[in-house]
Amino acid sequence: MAQTASTNADMKTRALGGADEGLWLRAEKQSGGIGRLGRKWESPEGNLYCSTLVRCRRDDPAPSSLSFVAALAVHKAIGTHLPHDDFWLKWPNDILVSGLKICGILLERAGDAVVVGIGVNVSVAPELDGRIVTSLHNEGSDPALAPGSLLESLAGYFAETLVEWRQSGLTSILDAWQKRAHPLGTRLSTSDANGQPLEGEYAGLSSDGALRLRKHDGTLIDIHAGDVNVG
């Protein structure tokens, strides 16, 4: 579609109407795109804005862990278009290229389905919450790379990773995620449930995907939600 308020909102309507798993929607522009924690996601023409849906099954891992599936799929897809290897994952589902944000992922529930929204900066790097972001074109991808072409590879990687999530379980997905993340010992900062700052070193992931943070006094704590900054 040329323009919509939000591909996630459109996909939630389709999910509640009985749409099949595997459907993808893409818009050239969005007027009401949102990111995690309700933040506005700038959506100018030239980037990828898309959503898909996953029907939850009884034996599936926790639906929230689909954020790792999506992050891995995006990581693999953009890797096929970058001329360098300076890109990695940051908990819970950020992809950083040259240390800069390039992607947003948002999961929303719609009945028995999870809608997975993905935005990737292909040709435009709009300002985001005062942070410096980048785009695939800025990072040296083929200038002719178009959002639709990126979606083709992304959809394939997402389908493959979803099968692994179901057949091999969450442990396999988390192992794959950690291999593509910043190294153990990386200095991180975040905040606790009360908004108090926390600092420490990255100590991997727990079995359910929580971020393990080793504080300066050696205490190991699990972070289940929140923003994480590197350095």
Side-chain angles (χ1 to χ4, degrees), residues 52-210:
T52 189
L53 71 93
V54 176
R55 292 286 176 189
C56 299
R57 303 176 185 176
R58 184 182 62 183
D59 296 329
D60 282 347
S64 61
S65 64
L66 284 166
S67 63
F68 295 102
V69 172
L72 281 169
V74 174
H75 185 277
K76 294 173 184 177
I78 67 173
T80 64
H81 298 286
L82 288 173
H84 61 77
D85 59 4
D86 185 12
F87 60 101
W88 39 274
L89 297 169
K90 178 173 75 71
W91 189 90
N93 52 25
D94 270 342
I95 294 88
L96 302 184
V97 180
S98 300
L100 305 176
K101 187 177 178 73
I102 200 170
C103 172
I105 296 171
L106 177 66
L107 270 58
E108 297 185 278
R109 196 63 185 259
D112 71 343
V114 174
V115 172
V116 182
I118 299 172
V120 182
N121 295 339
V122 178
S123 63
V124 184
E127 183 176 345
L128 180 64
D129 296 333
R131 288 178 287 176
I132 301 175
V133 300
T134 191
S135 70
L136 290 174
H137 288 184
N138 285 352
E139 295 296 327
S141 73
D142 184 343
L145 175 65
S149 299
L150 179 62
L151 177 55
E152 289 182 10
S153 55
L154 172 60
Y157 284 123
F158 187 90
E160 291 175 3
T161 311
L162 186 65
V163 169
E164 181 181 356
W165 179 74
R166 284 191 165 129
Q167 294 185 351
S168 300
L170 182 55
T171 298
S172 176
I173 294 298
L174 296 181
D175 286 347
W177 189 96
Q178 290 181 93
K179 290 176 182 177
R180 294 165 173 83
H182 42 69
L184 293 172
T186 297
R187 294 181 61 82
L188 303 177
S189 61
T190 183
S191 58
D192 62 20
N194 297 316
Q196 296 301 308
L198 291 172
E199 294 184 351
E201 296 181 348
Y202 172 60
L205 302 178
S206 68
S207 60
D208 63 356

